[in-house]
Coordinates of all heavy atoms in Angstrom, one line a residue:
M175 N 226.8 193.6 195.6 CA 226.3 194.3 196.7 C 226.2 195.8 196.4 O 225.3 196.4 197.0 CB 227.1 194.0 197.9 CG 226.9 192.6 198.5 SD 227.7 192.3 200.1 CE 228.6 193.7 200.6
S176 N 227.0 196.3 195.6 CA 227.1 197.7 195.4 C 225.9 198.2 194.6 O 225.8 199.4 194.4 CB 228.4 198.1 194.8 OG 228.5 197.5 193.5
L177 N 225.1 197.3 194.0 CA 224.0 197.8 193.2 C 222.9 198.5 194.0 O 222.2 199.4 193.5 CB 223.3 196.6 192.5 CG 224.2 195.9 191.5 CD1 223.5 194.7 190.9 CD2 224.6 196.8 190.4
S178 N 222.7 198.1 195.3 CA 221.7 198.8 196.1 C 222.0 198.6 197.5 O 222.6 197.6 197.9 CB 220.3 198.3 195.7 OG 220.1 197.1 196.3
D179 N 221.5 199.5 198.3 CA 221.6 199.4 199.8 C 220.9 198.2 200.3 O 221.3 197.5 201.3 CB 221.1 200.6 200.5 CG 222.0 201.8 200.3 OD1 223.2 201.6 199.9 OD2 221.5 203.0 200.4
S180 N 219.8 197.8 199.7 CA 219.0 196.6 200.2 C 219.8 195.3 199.9 O 219.7 194.4 200.7 CB 217.6 196.6 199.6 OG 217.7 196.4 198.2
N181 N 220.5 195.3 198.8 CA 221.4 194.1 198.6 C 222.4 194.0 199.6 O 222.7 192.9 200.2 CB 222.0 194.2 197.2 CG 221.1 193.9 196.0 OD1 220.0 193.6 196.2 ND2 221.6 194.1 194.8
T182 N 223.1 195.1 200.0 CA 224.1 195.1 201.0 C 223.5 194.6 202.3 O 224.1 193.8 203.0 CB 224.7 196.5 201.1 OG1 225.3 196.9 199.9 CG2 225.8 196.5 202.2
K183 N 222.4 195.1 202.7 CA 221.8 194.7 204.0 C 221.4 193.3 204.0 O 221.6 192.6 205.0 CB 220.5 195.6 204.2 CG 219.7 195.2 205.4 CD 220.4 195.6 206.7 CE 219.5 195.4 207.9 NZ 220.0 194.5 208.9
A184 N 220.9 192.8 202.9 CA 220.5 191.3 202.8 C 221.7 190.4 202.9 O 221.7 189.4 203.7 CB 219.8 191.1 201.5
V185 N 222.8 190.8 202.3 CA 224.0 189.9 202.4 C 224.6 190.0 203.8 O 225.0 189.0 204.3 CB 225.0 190.3 201.3 CG1 226.4 189.7 201.5 CG2 224.5 190.0 199.9
Q186 N 224.5 191.2 204.4 CA 225.0 191.3 205.7 C 224.2 190.5 206.7 O 224.8 189.8 207.6 CB 225.1 192.8 206.2 CG 226.1 193.6 205.5 CD 226.0 195.1 205.8 OE1 225.0 195.6 206.2 NE2 227.1 195.8 205.5
D187 N 222.9 190.5 206.5 CA 222.0 189.6 207.4 C 222.3 188.2 207.2 O 222.4 187.4 208.2 CB 220.5 189.9 207.0 CG 220.1 191.2 207.5 OD1 220.8 191.9 208.4 OD2 219.0 191.7 207.1
I188 N 222.5 187.7 206.0 CA 222.8 186.3 205.7 C 224.2 185.9 206.3 O 224.3 184.9 206.9 CB 222.8 186.0 204.2 CG1 221.4 186.1 203.7 CG2 223.4 184.7 203.9 CD1 221.3 186.1 202.2
E189 N 225.2 186.8 206.1 CA 226.5 186.5 206.6 C 226.5 186.5 208.2 O 227.4 185.8 208.7 CB 227.5 187.5 206.1 CG 227.8 187.3 204.7 CD 228.8 188.3 204.1 OE1 229.1 189.3 204.8 OE2 229.3 188.1 203.0
S190 N 225.6 187.1 208.8 CA 225.6 187.1 210.3 C 224.8 185.9 210.9 O 224.9 185.7 212.1 CB 225.0 188.4 210.8 OG 223.6 188.4 210.6
A191 N 224.2 185.1 210.0 CA 223.3 184.0 210.5 C 224.2 182.8 210.6 O 225.2 182.6 210.0 CB 222.2 183.7 209.4
I192 N 223.7 181.8 211.5 CA 224.4 180.6 211.7 C 223.6 179.5 211.0 O 224.1 178.4 210.6 CB 224.6 180.2 213.1 CG1 225.5 179.0 213.3 CG2 223.3 180.0 213.8 CD1 226.0 178.8 214.7
L193 N 222.3 179.7 210.8 CA 221.4 178.7 210.1 C 220.6 179.4 209.1 O 220.0 180.4 209.3 CB 220.5 178.0 211.2 CG 219.4 177.1 210.6 CD1 220.1 175.8 210.2 CD2 218.4 176.8 211.7
L194 N 220.5 178.8 207.9 CA 219.7 179.3 206.8 C 218.7 178.3 206.3 O 218.9 177.1 206.4 CB 220.6 179.7 205.6 CG 221.7 180.7 205.8 CD1 222.6 180.8 204.6 CD2 221.1 182.0 206.2
V195 N 217.6 178.8 205.8 CA 216.6 177.9 205.1 C 216.7 178.3 203.6 O 216.5 179.4 203.2 CB 215.2 178.1 205.6 CG1 214.2 177.3 204.8 CG2 215.1 177.8 207.1
C196 N 217.1 177.3 202.8 CA 217.3 177.5 201.3 C 216.0 176.9 200.6 O 215.8 175.7 200.8 CB 218.5 176.8 200.8 SG 220.0 177.4 201.6
L197 N 215.3 177.7 199.9 CA 214.1 177.3 199.2 C 214.5 177.1 197.7 O 214.8 178.1 197.0 CB 213.0 178.3 199.4 CG 212.6 178.5 200.8 CD1 211.5 179.6 200.9 CD2 212.1 177.3 201.5
D198 N 214.6 175.9 197.3 CA 215.0 175.6 195.9 C 213.8 175.5 195.0 O 212.8 174.8 195.3 CB 215.8 174.3 195.8 CG 217.2 174.4 196.4 OD1 217.5 175.5 196.8 OD2 217.9 173.4 196.4
A199 N 213.8 176.1 193.8 CA 212.7 176.1 192.9 C 212.6 174.8 192.1 O 211.6 174.4 191.6 CB 212.8 177.3 191.9
E200 N 213.8 174.1 192.0 CA 213.8 172.9 191.2 C 213.8 171.7 192.1 O 214.0 171.8 193.3 CB 215.1 172.8 190.4 CG 215.1 173.9 189.3 CD 216.3 173.8 188.4 OE1 216.9 172.7 188.3 OE2 216.8 174.8 187.9
T201 N 213.5 170.5 191.6 CA 213.5 169.3 192.3 C 214.5 168.3 191.7 O 214.6 168.3 190.4 CB 212.1 168.6 192.4 OG1 211.7 168.3 191.1 CG2 211.1 169.5 193.1
A202 N 215.1 167.5 192.5 CA 216.0 166.4 192.0 C 215.2 165.2 191.6 O 214.2 164.9 192.2 CB 217.0 166.1 193.0
T203 N 215.6 164.5 190.5 CA 214.9 163.4 190.0 C 215.4 162.0 190.5 O 214.7 161.0 190.4 CB 214.8 163.4 188.5 OG1 216.2 163.4 188.0 CG2 214.1 164.6 188.0
T204 N 216.6 162.0 191.0 CA 217.2 160.8 191.5 C 217.9 161.1 192.9 O 218.1 162.2 193.2 CB 218.3 160.3 190.6 OG1 219.4 161.2 190.6 CG2 217.8 160.1 189.1
D205 N 218.2 160.0 193.6 CA 218.8 160.2 194.9 C 220.2 160.8 194.7 O 220.6 161.7 195.5 CB 219.0 158.8 195.6 CG 217.7 158.3 196.1 OD1 216.7 159.1 196.2 OD2 217.6 157.1 196.4
D206 N 220.9 160.5 193.7 CA 222.3 161.1 193.4 C 222.1 162.6 193.1 O 222.9 163.4 193.7 CB 222.9 160.4 192.2 CG 224.4 160.8 192.0 OD1 225.2 160.7 193.0 OD2 224.7 161.4 190.9
A207 N 221.1 162.9 192.3 CA 220.9 164.4 192.0 C 220.5 165.1 193.3 O 220.9 166.3 193.5 CB 219.9 164.5 190.9
R208 N 219.7 164.5 194.1 CA 219.3 165.1 195.4 C 220.5 165.4 196.3 O 220.6 166.4 196.9 CB 218.2 164.3 196.1 CG 217.6 164.9 197.3 CD 216.5 164.2 197.9 NE 215.4 164.1 197.0 CZ 215.0 163.0 196.3 NH1 215.7 161.9 196.4 NH2 214.0 163.0 195.4
A209 N 221.3 164.4 196.4 CA 222.5 164.5 197.2 C 223.4 165.7 196.7 O 223.9 166.5 197.5 CB 223.3 163.2 197.3
W210 N 223.6 165.7 195.4 CA 224.4 166.8 194.8 C 223.7 168.1 195.0 O 224.4 169.1 195.3 CB 224.7 166.6 193.3 CG 225.9 165.7 193.1 CD1 225.9 164.4 192.9 CD2 227.2 166.1 193.2 NE1 227.2 163.9 192.9 CE2 228.0 165.0 193.0 CE3 227.9 167.3 193.4 CZ2 229.4 165.0 193.0 CZ3 229.2 167.4 193.4 CH2 230.0 166.2 193.2
S211 N 222.4 168.2 194.9 CA 221.7 169.4 195.1 C 221.9 169.9 196.5 O 222.1 171.1 196.8 CB 220.2 169.2 194.8 OG 219.5 170.4 195.1
Y212 N 221.7 169.0 197.5 CA 221.8 169.5 198.9 C 223.2 169.8 199.3 O 223.4 170.8 200.0 CB 221.3 168.3 199.8 CG 219.8 168.1 199.8 CD1 219.3 166.9 200.4 CD2 219.0 168.9 199.1 CE1 218.0 166.7 200.3 CE2 217.6 168.6 199.1 CZ 217.1 167.5 199.7 OH 215.8 167.3 199.6
W213 N 224.2 169.1 198.8 CA 225.6 169.3 199.1 C 226.2 170.5 198.4 O 226.8 171.3 199.0 CB 226.4 168.1 198.9 CG 227.8 168.2 199.3 CD1 228.3 168.5 200.5 CD2 228.9 168.1 198.4 NE1 229.7 168.6 200.5 CE2 230.1 168.3 199.2 CE3 229.1 167.8 197.1 CZ2 231.3 168.3 198.6 CZ3 230.3 167.7 196.5 CH2 231.4 168.0 197.3
A214 N 226.0 170.5 197.1 CA 226.7 171.5 196.2 C 225.8 172.5 195.5 O 226.4 173.4 194.8 CB 227.5 170.7 195.1
G215 N 224.5 172.4 195.7 CA 223.7 173.4 195.1 C 223.5 173.3 193.6 O 223.2 174.2 192.8
G216 N 223.8 172.1 193.1 CA 223.6 171.7 191.6 C 223.1 170.3 191.5 O 223.2 169.5 192.4
H217 N 222.4 170.0 190.4 CA 221.8 168.7 190.3 C 222.6 167.6 189.6 O 222.1 166.6 189.4 CB 220.4 168.9 189.5 CG 219.4 169.6 190.3 ND1 218.7 169.1 191.4 CD2 219.0 170.9 190.3 CE1 217.9 169.9 191.9 NE2 218.1 171.1 191.3
D218 N 223.8 167.9 189.3 CA 224.7 166.8 188.8 C 226.2 167.2 189.0 O 226.4 168.2 189.7 CB 224.4 166.6 187.3 CG 224.6 167.9 186.5 OD1 225.5 168.6 186.7 OD2 223.8 168.1 185.6
R219 N 227.1 166.4 188.5 CA 228.5 166.6 188.8 C 229.2 167.5 187.8 O 230.4 167.6 187.9 CB 229.2 165.2 188.8 CG 228.6 164.3 189.9 CD 229.1 162.9 189.7 NE 228.4 162.0 190.5 CZ 228.9 161.2 191.4 NH1 230.2 161.1 191.5 NH2 228.2 160.4 192.1
R220 N 228.5 168.2 186.9 CA 229.1 169.1 186.0 C 229.7 170.3 186.7 O 229.3 170.6 187.8 CB 228.1 169.6 185.0 CG 227.6 168.6 184.0 CD 226.6 169.2 183.1 NE 225.4 169.6 183.9 CZ 224.6 170.5 183.6 NH1 224.7 171.2 182.5 NH2 223.6 170.8 184.4
D221 N 230.7 170.9 186.1 CA 231.4 172.0 186.8 C 230.4 173.2 186.9 O 230.5 173.9 187.9 CB 232.6 172.4 186.0 CG 233.7 171.4 186.2 OD1 233.7 170.7 187.2 OD2 234.6 171.3 185.3
G222 N 229.6 173.5 185.9 CA 228.8 174.7 185.9 C 227.5 174.4 186.7 O 227.0 173.3 186.9
G223 N 227.0 175.5 187.3 CA 225.7 175.4 188.0 C 225.8 175.0 189.5 O 224.8 175.0 190.1
K224 N 226.9 174.8 190.0 CA 227.0 174.4 191.4 C 227.1 175.7 192.2 O 227.5 176.7 191.8 CB 228.2 173.5 191.7 CG 228.0 172.1 191.1 CD 229.2 171.2 191.5 CE 229.0 169.9 190.9 NZ 229.1 169.9 189.4
G225 N 226.7 175.6 193.5 CA 226.8 176.7 194.4 C 225.6 177.6 194.4 O 225.5 178.6 195.1
F226 N 224.6 177.3 193.6 CA 223.3 178.1 193.5 C 222.6 178.0 194.8 O 222.3 176.9 195.3 CB 222.5 177.6 192.3 CG 221.1 178.3 192.3 CD1 221.0 179.6 191.8 CD2 220.0 177.6 192.8 CE1 219.8 180.2 191.8 CE2 218.8 178.3 192.8 CZ 218.7 179.6 192.3
N227 N 222.3 179.1 195.4 CA 221.5 179.1 196.6 C 222.1 178.4 197.8 O 221.4 177.8 198.6 CB 220.1 178.6 196.3 CG 219.0 179.0 197.4 OD1 219.2 180.1 198.0 ND2 218.0 178.2 197.6
R228 N 223.4 178.4 197.9 CA 224.1 177.8 199.0 C 225.1 178.8 199.6 O 225.7 179.5 198.9 CB 224.9 176.5 198.6 CG 224.0 175.4 198.1 CD 223.1 174.8 199.1 NE 222.2 173.8 198.6 CZ 221.0 174.0 198.0 NH1 220.5 175.2 198.0 NH2 220.3 173.0 197.5
W229 N 225.3 178.7 200.9 CA 226.2 179.5 201.6 C 227.1 178.4 202.4 O 226.6 177.8 203.4 CB 225.6 180.4 202.6 CG 224.8 181.5 201.8 CD1 223.5 181.3 201.3 CD2 225.1 182.8 201.5 NE1 223.1 182.4 200.6 CE2 224.1 183.3 200.7 CE3 226.3 183.5 201.7 CZ2 224.2 184.6 200.2 CZ3 226.3 184.8 201.2 CH2 225.3 185.4 200.5
F230 N 228.3 178.2 201.9 CA 229.0 177.0 202.3 C 229.7 177.2 203.7 O 230.3 176.3 204.2 CB 230.1 176.7 201.3 CG 229.5 176.2 200.0 CD1 229.4 177.0 198.9 CD2 228.8 175.0 199.9 CE1 228.8 176.6 197.7 CE2 228.2 174.5 198.8 CZ 228.2 175.4 197.7
D231 N 229.5 178.4 204.4 CA 230.0 178.5 205.7 C 228.9 178.5 206.7 O 229.0 179.0 207.9 CB 230.8 179.8 205.8 CG 230.1 181.0 205.6 OD1 229.0 181.0 204.9 OD2 230.5 182.1 206.0
K232 N 227.7 178.0 206.3 CA 226.5 178.0 207.2 C 225.9 176.6 207.3 O 226.1 175.8 206.4 CB 225.4 179.0 206.6 CG 225.8 180.3 206.3 CD 226.1 181.2 207.5 CE 226.5 182.6 207.1 NZ 227.5 183.1 208.0
H233 N 225.1 176.4 208.3 CA 224.3 175.2 208.4 C 223.0 175.6 207.6 O 222.5 176.7 207.7 CB 223.9 174.8 209.8 CG 225.1 174.4 210.6 ND1 225.8 173.2 210.3 CD2 225.8 175.0 211.6 CE1 226.8 173.1 211.2 NE2 226.8 174.1 212.0
E234 N 222.5 174.6 206.8 CA 221.4 175.0 205.9 C 220.3 173.9 205.9 O 220.6 172.7 205.9 CB 221.9 175.1 204.4 CG 222.9 176.1 204.2 CD 223.6 176.0 202.9 OE1 224.1 174.9 202.6 OE2 223.6 177.0 202.1
I235 N 219.1 174.3 206.1 CA 217.9 173.4 205.8 C 217.5 173.7 204.4 O 217.2 174.9 204.1 CB 216.8 173.7 206.9 CG1 217.3 173.3 208.3 CG2 215.6 172.8 206.5 CD1 216.4 173.7 209.4
I236 N 217.4 172.7 203.6 CA 217.1 172.9 202.2 C 215.8 172.2 201.9 O 215.6 171.1 202.2 CB 218.2 172.3 201.3 CG1 219.6 172.9 201.7 CG2 217.9 172.4 199.8 CD1 220.8 172.0 201.4
V237 N 214.9 173.0 201.3 CA 213.6 172.5 200.9 C 213.4 172.7 199.4 O 213.6 173.8 198.9 CB 212.4 173.2 201.7 CG1 211.1 172.6 201.3 CG2 212.7 173.1 203.2
D238 N 213.0 171.7 198.7 CA 212.8 171.8 197.2 C 211.3 172.1 196.9 O 210.5 172.1 197.8 CB 213.4 170.7 196.4 CG 212.7 169.4 196.6 OD1 211.5 169.3 197.1 OD2 213.2 168.3 196.2
A239 N 211.0 172.2 195.6 CA 209.7 172.6 195.2 C 208.6 171.5 195.5 O 207.4 171.8 195.6 CB 209.7 172.9 193.7
K240 N 209.1 170.2 195.7 CA 208.1 169.1 196.1 C 207.9 169.0 197.6 O 207.2 168.2 198.1 CB 208.7 167.8 195.6 CG 208.5 167.6 194.1 CD 209.2 166.3 193.8 CE 208.4 165.4 192.9 NZ 209.2 164.2 192.5
G241 N 208.7 169.8 198.3 CA 208.6 169.8 199.8 C 209.5 168.8 200.4 O 209.5 168.6 201.6
E242 N 210.4 168.2 199.6 CA 211.4 167.3 200.2 C 212.5 168.2 200.8 O 212.8 169.2 200.3 CB 212.0 166.4 199.1 CG 210.9 165.4 198.6 CD 211.5 164.5 197.5 OE1 212.6 164.7 197.0 OE2 210.7 163.5 197.2
S243 N 213.1 167.7 201.9 CA 214.1 168.5 202.5 C 215.3 167.8 202.9 O 215.3 166.5 203.0 CB 213.4 169.2 203.8 OG 213.0 168.2 204.7
G244 N 216.3 168.5 203.2 CA 217.6 167.9 203.7 C 218.4 169.0 204.5 O 218.0 170.1 204.6
F245 N 219.5 168.5 205.0 CA 220.3 169.4 205.9 C 221.7 169.3 205.4 O 222.2 168.2 205.1 CB 220.2 168.9 207.3 CG 221.1 169.7 208.2 CD1 220.7 171.0 208.7 CD2 222.3 169.2 208.6 CE1 221.5 171.7 209.5 CE2 223.1 170.0 209.5 CZ 222.7 171.2 209.9
N246 N 222.3 170.5 205.2 CA 223.7 170.5 204.9 C 224.5 171.2 206.0 O 224.3 172.4 206.3 CB 223.9 171.4 203.6 CG 225.4 171.3 203.1 OD1 226.3 170.9 203.8 ND2 225.6 171.8 201.9
G247 N 225.3 170.4 206.7 CA 226.1 171.0 207.8 C 227.6 171.0 207.4 O 228.4 171.1 208.3
E248 N 227.9 171.0 206.1 CA 229.2 171.1 205.7 C 229.9 172.4 206.2 O 229.3 173.5 206.0 CB 229.3 171.1 204.2 CG 230.6 171.1 203.5 CD 231.4 169.8 203.7 OE1 230.7 168.7 203.9 OE2 232.6 169.8 203.6
R249 N 231.0 172.3 206.8 CA 231.7 173.5 207.3 C 233.2 173.3 207.0 O 233.7 172.2 207.0 CB 231.6 173.6 208.8 CG 230.2 173.9 209.3 CD 229.9 175.3 209.1 NE 230.9 176.2 209.8 CZ 230.7 177.4 210.2 NH1 229.5 177.9 210.2 NH2 231.6 178.1 210.7
E250 N 233.8 174.4 206.6 CA 235.3 174.4 206.4 C 235.9 175.2 207.6 O 235.5 176.3 207.8 CB 235.7 175.0 205.1 CG 235.2 174.1 203.9 CD 235.7 174.7 202.6 OE1 236.8 175.4 202.6 OE2 235.1 174.4 201.6
F251 N 236.9 174.6 208.2 CA 237.5 175.3 209.3 C 239.0 175.5 208.9 O 239.6 174.6 208.4 CB 237.5 174.5 210.6 CG 236.1 174.4 211.2 CD1 235.3 173.3 210.9 CD2 235.6 175.4 211.9 CE1 234.0 173.2 211.4 CE2 234.3 175.3 212.4 CZ 233.5 174.2 212.2
F252 N 239.5 176.7 209.1 CA 240.9 177.0 208.8 C 241.6 177.4 210.0 O 241.0 178.0 210.9 CB 240.9 178.1 207.8 CG 240.2 177.8 206.5 CD1 238.9 178.2 206.3 CD2 240.8 177.1 205.5 CE1 238.2 178.0 205.1 CE2 240.2 176.8 204.3 CZ 238.9 177.3 204.1
C253 N 242.8 177.0 210.1 CA 243.7 177.5 211.2 C 245.0 177.9 210.7 O 245.5 177.3 209.7 CB 243.8 176.5 212.3 SG 244.6 175.0 211.8
D254 N 245.6 178.8 211.3 CA 247.0 179.2 210.9 C 248.0 178.3 211.5 O 247.9 178.0 212.7 CB 247.3 180.7 211.3 CG 246.4 181.7 210.6 OD1 246.1 181.4 209.4 OD2 246.0 182.7 211.2
A255 N 248.9 177.8 210.7 CA 249.9 176.9 211.2 C 251.1 177.6 211.7 O 251.4 178.7 211.3 CB 250.3 175.9 210.2

């Protein structure tokens, strides 16, 4: 974020949102790959490459390059015990 003021503003805008639209440049070739892409932001179960274009504390509508779409409502809630 410290590279420019516009980066800082963009991240602040994203962090203040409750719903995001994620536009993915790649497409998944199988149902399993599509599920991993929508859920984890990667096209397979490998450790590298996950989390691309995902904000895991938001609800997301995800649209890939073919126009296929999905919804990720994964949320993590924490409470102090």
Side-chain angles (χ1 to χ4, degrees):
M175 285 188 355
S176 63
L177 295 176
S178 75
D179 290 337
S180 63
N181 285 355
T182 301
K183 176 70 172 125
V185 170
Q186 288 171 342
D187 288 344
I188 291 169
E189 287 180 346
S190 70
I192 192 168
L193 176 71
L194 301 175
V195 176
C196 302
L197 303 175
D198 288 0
E200 297 184 26
T201 59
T203 56
T204 66
D205 288 342
D206 187 59
R208 185 174 297 107
W210 274 97
S211 173
Y212 291 169
W213 180 62
H217 289 287
D218 57 41
R219 299 172 192 231
R220 290 178 297 157
D221 288 336
K224 290 185 182 66
F226 174 77
N227 199 27
R228 298 293 179 269
W229 296 79
F230 295 106
D231 63 340
K232 310 287 180 212
H233 294 292
E234 302 167 304
I235 297 171
I236 303 154
V237 182
D238 69 16
K240 286 174 134 179
E242 295 181 349
S243 62
F245 177 79
N246 185 350
E248 181 74 22
R249 293 282 305 207
E250 290 185 26
F251 294 96
F252 299 96
C253 63
D254 294 327

